[in-house]
Structure formats: structure tokens, C-alpha cells
Amino acid sequence: MCLLVDDSRMIRKIARRIVESIGYAVVEAENGEEGLARCRAAMPDLVITDWNMPVMSGIEFVTALRAIPSANPPKVVFCTTNSGARDIHKGIAAGADEYVIKPFDEAALLTRLQSVGAA
């Protein structure tokens, strides 16, 4: 299962199409707080999350997600417009496995998913 966490319905729609094409069932959340609740209910195999969201940011979400004990922690990919080296390092330090810059295309996302063993 893949959890898509993004306040943009369009980004969720695009990402959903891509991850469903490689066999994932998809669950969506509009912000980090909703995403965290979905993870507590059923831990996904893969999480694709935005950084800049209302209620709870992607950094706060990933930090909280990584604090949940899990025998099989999910692969986490940030999908965001925050493209500076400092932001990328901050995202990885929070617990992300990979980073995709918006706007992205199918090839860019699939390459990142392959690099973490999620595609």
C-alpha cells in the first residue's frame, strides 16, 4: 500500500496514477496529521509526502512517522518544491529515503522509487 500525503488534489491524482501503474493500492491524506492517523491505522509500504501543507508539515509528519515502532517501516519519498540542498538534507535527516522535486514527471518519480527499492 502507498500513502499519498499532499494538500493538492492534482498532485495526489498524478502520483496515484503513477504508483497504481506499478501495482500499489493507494490511500490519500490531505495533510500530515491525517497521514499520521492513516499510518497508525495501517502502516503503508510506501509514503509519498509533500513538505508544505496546512495543519502538519511534511517534516513534522515524517519525524512523527519515524517515531512509530514498526517491524517494516515504510519507504518515504518527499515530493516538494523545496529544492535547496539544505532542504534536501533536512528532509533526509527527518527520515525520508528519497526526494523528488515538483513539478515531477512519471520517469522522475519512478527513478526515485526504484532507487529505494519501492518500484
Side-chain angles (χ1 to χ4, degrees), residues 61-119:
F61 164 67
V62 172
T63 301
L65 171 63
R66 290 304 191 206
I68 299 171
S70 175
N72 295 305
K75 298 294 184 184
V76 176
V77 177
F78 263 114
C79 184
T80 179
T81 57
N82 293 27
S83 59
R86 178 174 286 154
D87 286 333
I88 293 170
H89 290 298
K90 188 175 178 182
I92 300 299
D97 296 292
E98 193 49 272
Y99 210 95
V100 178
I101 307 300
K102 289 180 185 174
F104 62 92
D105 60 15
E106 185 171 356
L109 182 57
L110 289 176
T111 297
R112 294 306 189 282
L113 295 179
Q114 288 168 345
S115 77
V116 297

Side-chain angles (χ1 to χ4, degrees), residues 5 8-9 11 17 37 41 46 48 50 54 62 71 102-103 111-112:
V5 186
S8 166
R9 180 181 293 144
I11 293 295
R17 182 182 52 76
L46 171 64
I48 299 173
D50 189 14
V62 172
K102 289 180 185 174
T111 297
R112 294 306 189 282

